[in-house]
Amino acid sequence: MPKRTTRQKELLKKELKDKKTFFTAEEFYNSIQKKEQKIGIATIYRFLKEQEEKKNIHKYICNRKTLYSLEEKTHAHFYCEECKKEKHLNIKQVDFLKNEVSEEICHFQLNITGICKECKKTIKEKKHLR
């Protein structure tokens, strides 16, 4: 027996279609609250989980937070071991992975650790001064 579609669920689906970038459950909840204050955060989490299971959205982890996206986007970070700064990387091509895995790639999340240009320059200058 199919689940019935409620007015709230229709509102959630409409709001989801308007998302153009990564978003958190809390951000989604806040945008819904402007339109319908009777929808609770638990309903939001259930809805997003259902949409993920149906493969309508994709889930990523960023700074220990769950992010969602309508698109099969890559999500990559560079983390500097010196200054501890983290920045998002925009990696569009996954060709380098296609030769490494036999499975079909939908999207990926990549975390790269190293030393950023600014810290590398500072380290080089300190060594030069010695």
Side-chain angles (χ1 to χ4, degrees):
M1 182 176 200
K3 289 184 178 182
R4 67 185 188 101
T5 303
T6 64
R7 185 182 67 77
Q8 284 185 341
K9 196 169 266 189
E10 285 304 316
L11 177 64
L12 293 172
K13 286 179 181 179
K14 184 180 180 310
E15 187 70 24
L16 186 61
K17 286 181 186 176
D18 292 341
K19 294 297 179 195
K20 304 291 183 225
T21 61
F22 290 106
F23 61 94
T24 65
E26 292 80 12
E27 290 166 343
F28 190 71
Y29 173 72
N30 290 335
S31 64
I32 286 292
Q33 282 293 293
K34 294 174 187 172
K35 297 170 182 156
E36 177 62 65
Q37 294 183 347
K38 292 181 182 179
I39 297 179
I41 190 73
T43 301
I44 299 298
Y45 281 110
R46 279 191 304 273
F47 173 76
L48 292 174
K49 183 177 182 192
E50 177 184 292
Q51 294 304 304
E52 181 191 355
E53 288 170 354
K54 291 180 177 180
K55 304 210 184 307
N56 292 335
I57 61 174
H58 304 275
K59 182 168 91 170
Y60 307 84
I61 304 297
C62 179
N63 295 328
R64 293 184 298 240
K65 283 189 173 186
T66 301
L67 296 178
Y68 300 93
S69 173
L70 292 175
E71 298 177 23
E72 297 174 350
K73 295 182 178 185
T74 63
H75 191 77
H77 294 115
F78 179 86
Y79 177 77
C80 178
E81 291 179 323
E82 289 291 314
C83 65
K84 310 299 185 217
K85 289 182 184 172
E86 184 175 68
K87 72 176 189 176
H88 288 270
L89 302 174
N90 190 8
I91 299 175
K92 293 184 175 151
Q93 298 295 324
V94 295
D95 295 339
F96 68 97
L97 284 176
K98 289 181 181 175
N99 295 329
E100 301 297 323
V101 295
S102 59
E103 293 76 20
E104 184 177 327
I105 298 172
C106 167
H107 62 274
F108 69 92
Q109 183 168 330
L110 181 65
N111 294 310
I112 301 170
T113 303
I115 299 174
C116 69
K117 285 190 264 182
E118 294 81 17
C119 288
K120 190 173 179 179
K121 182 179 175 188
T122 303
I123 291 168
K124 188 175 180 181
E125 288 171 357
K126 284 180 182 178
K127 285 183 179 180
H128 185 332
L129 292 174
R130 288 184 190 170

